[in-house]
Amino acid sequence: MKRRLLALLLCTALPLPAGAQTHVIAELGTAPLIGRVASTQQLQIDVRKQHAVFEAAGEGLGLTPSEFTQFAQRIAQRQLSYVVIPRRLDAMSWRSGGRVHVLHDVVIPAQTMGWEVDLREGDRILALFIPNKCGNLSLLRKPAPRLARVAPAEIAVATPAPTPSAAPVAVLPPTPAPSPTPAPYTKVSMSTGAAPSHHFRAWPLLLLPIIALFASHGHSGPVQAAPLPVPALPPAAGCPTPAPK
């Protein structure tokens, strides 16, 4: 009787081809895949011992053999997280009568705890969940987070160049001013009481023959030329007057 009632409930939750609907599960654990999971260590043991059950559930969810292998390796290496499972899932597996079934477009109770293993599928993430109440392997495809492309900073903060220290200035001793060159000294010999120097001019003597020639032509008779006065020669320059005897 219980099996018939459970089968009736599951059948009503299955999507119809004509118009698929979201299937709300009020309580998990009525048709568990492996049963309640108490710890991560127990999950590792269950995945290893019931490998065929989990493999059939993964195939029903659409996992490739490579993806399921990655899932089993992540569980064995504890590469998983214990999280609050999202309420809306793309698909959930369950088992009844020794057979594994899959229900699509499912809404589960809020605050359902379980383990999460993420696999990369192109530009999407395959998030695989295992609720702790039933162990029903479930799947949710979500877009992979895009890393923000941060352009390299082009504004370079100008670092002020170090101010070069002033080179030491050599202080030279003051150059002594050159002593004035004395003007050349000319010795002038002066004799006390010396008479002023007179220059003797001889050119008047050269005119005497010319004067005599003109005088001879101007008179009919002979004319005796008067003796010309002989100018007194001044004393030799620079010779002092002799003292009287």
Side-chain angles (χ1 to χ4, degrees):
M1 184 65 179
K2 292 183 178 180
R3 290 184 179 180
R4 292 181 180 179
L5 180 60
L6 179 60
L8 180 60
L9 292 175
L10 292 176
C11 289
T12 56
L14 293 177
L16 298 177
Q21 298 177 355
T22 300
H23 306 285
V24 180
I25 299 179
E27 183 180 356
L28 292 174
T30 55
L33 184 69
I34 59 173
R36 188 176 185 87
V37 182
S39 64
T40 303
Q41 184 178 2
Q42 182 183 346
L43 176 63
Q44 291 176 311
I45 296 173
D46 291 340
V47 171
R48 184 173 65 251
K49 287 185 175 182
Q50 303 192 51
H51 183 83
V53 175
F54 277 99
E55 187 175 17
E59 184 179 355
L61 294 173
L63 298 182
T64 64
S66 175
E67 291 171 342
F68 179 78
T69 300
Q70 294 182 49
F71 162 76
Q73 290 177 350
R74 299 285 177 86
I75 296 294
Q77 298 171 2
R78 284 181 175 260
Q79 297 180 3
L80 68 170
S81 304
Y82 192 70
V83 299
V84 176
I85 300 176
R87 293 199 62 188
R88 189 147 195 167
L89 301 172
D90 292 339
M92 172 177 279
S93 64
W94 56 281
R95 188 171 61 159
S96 174
R99 296 181 59 184
V100 176
H101 306 275
V102 173
L103 191 64
H104 295 272
D105 195 4
V106 178
V107 174
I108 64 175
Q111 299 300 315
T112 299
M113 302 298 296
W115 290 267
E116 177 181 358
V117 176
D118 289 342
L119 303 179
R120 188 65 182 259
E121 184 186 62
D123 58 348
R124 295 183 300 176
I125 296 293
L126 262 62
L128 298 173
F129 299 98
I130 304 173
N132 60 0
K133 294 187 67 174
C134 57
N136 293 359
L137 183 61
S138 306
L139 178 142
L140 175 63
R141 287 182 173 87
K142 53 186 179 180
R146 295 184 179 181
L147 299 178
R149 296 182 180 180
V150 180
E154 299 179 358
I155 302 176
V157 179
T159 304
T163 305
S165 56
V169 180
V171 180
L172 301 177
T175 304
S179 57
T181 305
Y185 175 73
T186 304
K187 186 177 180 181
V188 179
S189 177
M190 299 181 64
S191 299
T192 307
S197 173
H198 299 280
H199 297 281
F200 176 71
R201 294 182 176 87
W203 64 270
L205 298 179
L206 298 177
L207 297 177
L208 292 178
I210 299 174
I211 297 173
L213 181 60
F214 278 100
S216 62
H217 285 285
H219 301 280
S220 59
V223 178
Q224 295 182 354
L228 295 174
V230 179
L233 296 176
C239 298
T241 301
K245 298 180 178 180

